[in-house]
Amino acid sequence: MAAETNSISGLLTDAVKRHIPGATGIADLRRLSGGASQEIWSFDATTEAGMIPLILRRAPGGFRDTGRSGTAVTLETEAKLISLAEEVGVPVPPVRYVLTEADGIGQGFIMDRIPGETLARKILRDEEFANARPKLARQCGEVLAKLHTVEKSKLPPLRIASGRDEVEQYFKTYKELDYPHPVFELAFRWLKDNAPPGEMELTLVHGDFRNGNLMIGPDGLRAVLDWEIAHVGDPMADLSWICINPWRFGNIDMPVGGFGTREDLFAGYEAAGGGKVDPAHVKFWEVLGTLKWGVMCMGMASAFLQGDRSVERATIGRRSSETEVDLMRLLAPLTGRE
Amino acid sequence: MQDQPSAVELIEAVTEFIRNHATPQLQGHTAFHARVAANALDIVKRELEVGPAANAGEAARLKALLGMDGSLDELNRELCRRIEAGEVGLHTPALEEHLWQTTLTKLAIDQPNYSGYRRALEESGKD
């Protein structure tokens, strides 16, 4: 990791000096833990007036493999979306600079480093966030309502996927993985029979709005991060994804991210101009979101069997059964409605 | 008949070694993966204990439900085909019962602490 830091330190210093007004250099460059699809670096730009806390989001080794899932946007697009979201009042880390080829450190961008916490375990349990927790679901609704108002004519080219498209896409992936899951078949069948009407208006959708991608402070929601799989789709997808059981981290009775109620989420959404929320429509997306996670777990098992011998991958493969129990509780509840 | 200790007992000993003796000596990513490895062995142990009877029960239910014979894999593939075709579904009470039993057993092996499973057990009156 030290060698890796040295390899970008010089070029990053040059880029920062050229493009961040007042910057004289950089300090405290560190690679933060991040997904396989991105590198996240923390550093400070030094100026005569003091330090500017910054983040570099960069493709692994400098270049994003867009073939990874076929759904990730380029880092340039991600930077553009963050700026568009900022314009409509979504809390985001402002983008300071988008790297160009001339900088020589690959694709990526520099944005502000917002202080706060993304780890659900801490947000849901620590005293520090006790005052934030009751406010979060409503704030999430308000922020999503704004996010969904970004003018479509301003958007960079994005994947367009309605609910029906996503059901088809994941059904195809499921069939290709070729392992029988009767509960998944039942869920696919239910989704095909209960798809929302085709004429519904599609908007910018964040696509991964959940614990882990939300920067939370003691005062509440501070920033929406990780716009990597943003696309044009059904806005209800964003309201339901944060409600699927895996994102509740054990707080099963707090459907919104383990911290709040659907009533608060929907009230915030409607109050901020997001339009009337139909709980049945959100349920469609909750079933689809749960099923998507289940199919992703199958994908992990498949990758393991094809030679990626990570024990972690193998055990995630055995977590598709978690989504099966969630799907059964949604589709064939043992008691009255949840 | 195999000699003692049993497969389950061997796995218990290895899991305990990884969790209580090896992991504390490790750091960072390696420590994390050691914990994951111990969790994987827990799954194997539970599958050894619960799996044979559970699979036999699942096969018996599937044969009755589908009116045919076959391996567990063949029976599950046929069930999937019929669900996809809409020949059986949520309107088929025996299907719902079968899927609940099968799902609860899978969770008892894979992830008995999962919140959705704990809640389903309460709701089914089995806990």
Side-chain angles (χ1 to χ4, degrees):
Chain A
M1 193 160 285
E4 198 183 24
T5 306
N6 291 336
S7 76
I8 70 163
S9 175
L11 290 166
L12 182 62
T13 303
D14 294 344
V16 165
K17 278 172 28 187
R18 273 200 306 271
H19 301 288
I20 308 271
T24 55
I26 68 167
D28 202 16
L29 175 65
R30 293 175 289 133
R31 170 123 185 234
L32 304 181
S33 58
S37 59
Q38 78 231 348
E39 287 178 7
I40 302 173
W41 298 81
S42 167
F43 67 99
D44 297 319
T46 52
T47 73
E48 293 203 351
M51 303 285 196
I52 308 174
L54 296 171
I55 291 283
L56 166 68
R57 230 170 120 74
R58 193 179 80 129
F63 297 91
R64 177 172 280 176
D65 172 16
T66 48
R68 180 182 61 92
S69 61
T71 52
V73 302
T74 65
L75 283 143
E76 290 81 0
T77 299
E78 200 176 332
K80 171 87 176 147
L81 292 173
I82 292 173
S83 298
L84 287 170
E86 188 183 10
E87 282 175 22
V88 295
V90 175
V92 289
V95 174
R96 297 266 183 161
Y97 176 64
V98 180
L99 298 174
T100 67
E101 216 170 304
D103 297 311
I105 37 178
Q107 299 165 323
F109 57 89
I110 295 166
M111 61 186 183
D112 282 8
R113 189 168 78 239
I114 310 279
E117 186 54 72
T118 59
L119 283 179
R121 191 166 37 83
K122 290 177 176 286
I123 294 161
L124 299 184
R125 317 264 187 270
D126 286 6
E127 184 55 32
E128 191 187 350
F129 303 101
N131 293 325
R133 284 192 286 270
K135 294 190 279 192
L136 282 175
R138 191 181 171 94
Q139 286 183 338
C140 286
E142 290 166 355
V143 163
L144 285 172
K146 289 176 189 165
L147 196 160
H148 295 154
T149 64
V150 171
E151 253 183 72
K152 278 205 276 182
S153 60
K154 290 186 178 173
L155 291 174
L158 290 175
R159 176 173 69 93
I160 300 174
S162 68
R164 286 164 197 271
D165 295 338
E166 294 223 5
V167 172
E168 278 310 312
Q169 181 202 330
Y170 277 88
F171 190 61
K172 186 165 167 280
T173 305
Y174 163 73
K175 287 292 184 192
E176 283 165 2
L177 290 167
D178 192 33
Y179 194 85
H181 282 263
V183 174
F184 291 174
E185 292 283 354
L186 193 73
F188 277 117
R189 181 75 211 188
W190 185 90
L191 288 165
K192 286 174 186 172
D193 293 341
N194 291 274
E199 68 273 19
M200 96 148 273
E201 165 128 40
L202 303 183
T203 67
L204 172 64
V205 167
H206 179 277
D208 203 9
F209 190 90
R210 45 110 179 150
N211 281 321
N213 290 334
L214 304 176
M215 186 61 80
I216 311 287
D219 50 336
L221 178 55
R222 288 181 175 172
V224 181
L225 311 174
D226 202 341
W227 294 70
E228 186 182 335
I229 57 170
H231 60 279
V232 171
D234 182 339
M236 293 304 111
D238 276 337
L239 273 78
S240 61
W241 182 237
I242 193 173
C243 293
I244 71 166
N245 196 34
W247 303 136
R248 299 181 202 172
F249 293 88
N251 286 3
I252 194 167
D253 294 313
M254 288 294 196
V256 183
F259 49 67
T261 64
R262 290 193 184 87
E263 289 73 15
D264 282 354
L265 177 76
F266 298 168
Y269 191 78
E270 289 173 8
K276 185 87 185 122
V277 177
D278 172 8
H281 190 157
V282 177
K283 182 182 171 180
F284 167 85
W285 279 99
E286 199 171 323
V287 172
L288 177 51
T290 307
L291 182 56
K292 275 162 78 164
W293 175 227
V295 173
M296 287 181 218
C297 291
M298 286 178 72
M300 293 283 188
S302 170
F304 172 76
L305 292 170
Q306 282 168 27
D308 177 347
R309 308 301 285 177
S310 140
V311 177
E312 188 186 11
R313 224 172 257 280
T315 54
I316 295 175
R318 289 294 284 252
R319 295 183 68 178
S320 51
S321 52
E322 294 181 0
T323 66
E324 290 179 345
V325 79
D326 289 337
L327 288 167
M328 287 299 288
R329 290 188 65 244
L330 284 163
L331 300 177
L334 291 160
T335 61
R337 289 191 61 89
E338 191 187 342
Chain B
M1 181 158 149
Q2 307 307 311
D3 289 338
Q4 292 179 308
S6 69
V8 166
E9 287 159 345
L10 283 170
I11 286 179
E12 278 173 347
V14 175
T15 311
E16 202 231 320
F17 167 75
I18 294 176
R19 203 166 266 149
N20 300 339
H21 301 284
T23 310
Q25 313 256 355
L26 302 171
Q27 288 181 332
H29 242 61
T30 316
F32 169 74
H33 281 115
R35 281 194 292 276
V36 173
N39 293 342
L41 288 178
D42 283 340
I43 296 176
V44 176
K45 171 181 169 271
R46 291 188 295 262
E47 183 165 328
L48 283 171
E49 290 172 332
V50 177
N55 288 345
E58 182 182 342
R61 288 195 304 276
L62 282 167
K63 286 172 192 171
L65 187 67
L66 301 170
M68 61 177 270
D69 211 348
S71 69
L72 206 44
D73 182 75
E74 286 162 354
L75 292 165
N76 270 305
R77 285 180 190 276
E78 174 62 14
L79 179 61
C80 284
R81 191 195 64 73
R82 292 192 196 178
I83 294 172
E84 186 188 349
E87 293 168 24
V88 290
L90 288 169
H91 51 276
T92 318
L95 176 70
E96 200 172 309
E97 174 60 25
H98 165 72
L99 291 179
W100 261 119
Q101 278 201 40
T102 309
T103 302
L104 291 179
T105 309
K106 284 173 85 169
L107 266 297
I109 294 170
D110 291 344
Q111 213 63 249
N113 293 323
Y114 184 62
S115 63
Y117 172 65
R118 306 306 317 174
R119 184 56 55 88
L121 282 185
E122 288 166 27
E123 289 165 345
S124 68
K126 285 179 183 163
D127 191 47

